[in-house]
Amino acid sequence: MRIAIAGSTGLVGRHVVREALAAGHDVLELSRQNGVDLTSPDGLAGRLEGVDAVVDVTQSPTLDETESTQFFTTVAGNLGDAAREAGVTRSVTLSIIGIDHVPDYGYYVAKLAQERTAIERGPAARILRAAQFLEFPGQMLDRNRDGDKVVIPELKTQPVAISEIARLLVRLADDRVPEAMVELAGPESGELTDFVRRVAEARGVEVEVIGVRASEGMADGACLPGQNAIIAGPGFTDWLATQA
């Protein structure tokens, strides 16, 4: 089958392209680097002619609630409308576990708006809510470090490998997983602050990791997977041991 991947050159998108090709599918890449502006509907339906499924792994350029909501809903709406016009039979959107229980964090509000738009306007919409990436604690260390301190939001999480996210997105796209809403997480849960400390230690970086209660839901476990979630891939401990 032919799968269009929106955001194909991003961190997740590159993995989805590889997984789709490995599964024997034909891939259409949709990204600015491929000359496609998904914030504009112009010509998008024509590009999707002959496509069977669309996978949306686009990433907002900002965490601001208003701006990211505008980006996500515009892209989801454009993709959904163009997919229906082109006769695409299935759409899949990558989202985040727990966003419907975190109304006090703007980016998650934006992701929830993206989900709703994808469901309303995309053909046979399916949503994959994933836990944070295994790489996320390291990203937070790099982004939030200020000298010998790093301030991190309190977050209970169960991080998952990006490769597992990509694999499940493709399985949703080609109908090997038929559910309309799926959660995916890794096997090891913990506090984000602890994961960040372990990354710093593994890197030989001496920093004080300070947790702040930025969101009640995130701190209280809203982003942990439910009992029906798919659990896959290495846990954080095993993954970190493989990192140089």
Side-chain angles (χ1 to χ4, degrees):
M1 65 184 293
R2 184 165 173 77
I3 300 177
I5 300 169
S8 60
T9 55
L11 177 61
V12 179
R14 295 193 298 270
H15 284 78
V16 179
V17 169
R18 286 196 292 270
E19 288 292 338
L21 292 173
H25 300 306
D26 186 22
V27 169
L28 172 66
E29 295 194 44
L30 302 175
S31 72
R32 288 187 184 275
Q33 292 184 31
N34 299 111
V36 182
D37 179 5
L38 294 169
T39 63
S40 170
D42 295 343
L44 189 53
R47 289 180 179 272
L48 295 180
E49 290 291 340
V51 167
D52 300 291
V54 175
V55 177
D56 182 2
V57 291
T58 54
Q59 175 62 48
S60 168
T62 174
L63 297 179
D64 177 79
E65 179 178 342
T66 300
E67 294 180 16
S68 57
T69 298
Q70 178 65 30
F71 174 85
F72 281 130
T73 56
T74 297
V75 170
N78 288 342
L79 282 172
D81 293 346
R84 287 185 181 275
E85 182 179 341
V88 176
T89 57
R90 191 172 302 113
S91 59
V92 184
T93 302
L94 176 61
S95 191
I96 306 168
I97 290 174
I99 56 174
D100 49 342
H101 298 295
V102 187
D104 54 354
Y105 186 61
Y107 185 74
Y108 282 15
V109 173
K111 289 293 291 184
L112 188 58
Q114 178 194 31
E115 283 189 7
R116 289 169 175 161
T117 304
I119 292 169
E120 290 170 1
R121 294 166 67 175
R126 293 175 180 177
I127 307 295
L128 169 56
R129 286 184 174 178
Q132 285 67 33
F133 309 149
L134 289 167
E135 291 85 356
F136 185 65
Q139 293 171 344
M140 294 298 287
L141 173 61
D142 295 334
R143 293 172 189 167
N144 295 18
R145 185 179 176 185
D146 183 8
D148 61 355
K149 290 183 173 58
V150 56
V151 178
I152 302 294
E154 294 180 2
L155 168 66
K156 291 181 174 64
T157 183
Q158 198 161 314
V160 65
I162 294 176
S163 60
E164 296 294 345
I165 294 173
R167 187 170 298 117
L168 187 51
L169 285 167
V170 172
R171 290 172 63 86
L172 285 160
D174 65 18
D175 208 29
R176 284 178 287 169
V177 176
E179 288 82 5
M181 176 79 75
V182 180
E183 288 188 353
L184 173 67
E188 183 178 348
S189 64
E191 297 283 350
L192 178 59
T193 49
D194 291 336
F195 290 138
V196 172
R197 290 187 185 98
R198 291 166 62 185
V199 171
E201 181 180 357
R203 293 180 181 178
V205 175
E206 294 186 7
V207 292
E208 179 185 4
V209 179
I210 303 168
V212 295
R213 200 172 182 87
S215 161
E216 294 300 317
M218 291 165 65
D220 292 340
C223 298
L224 292 173
Q227 62 179 1
N228 295 321
I230 296 172
I231 306 300
F236 187 79
T237 298
D238 291 339
W239 172 81
L240 186 59
T242 68
Q243 304 304 297

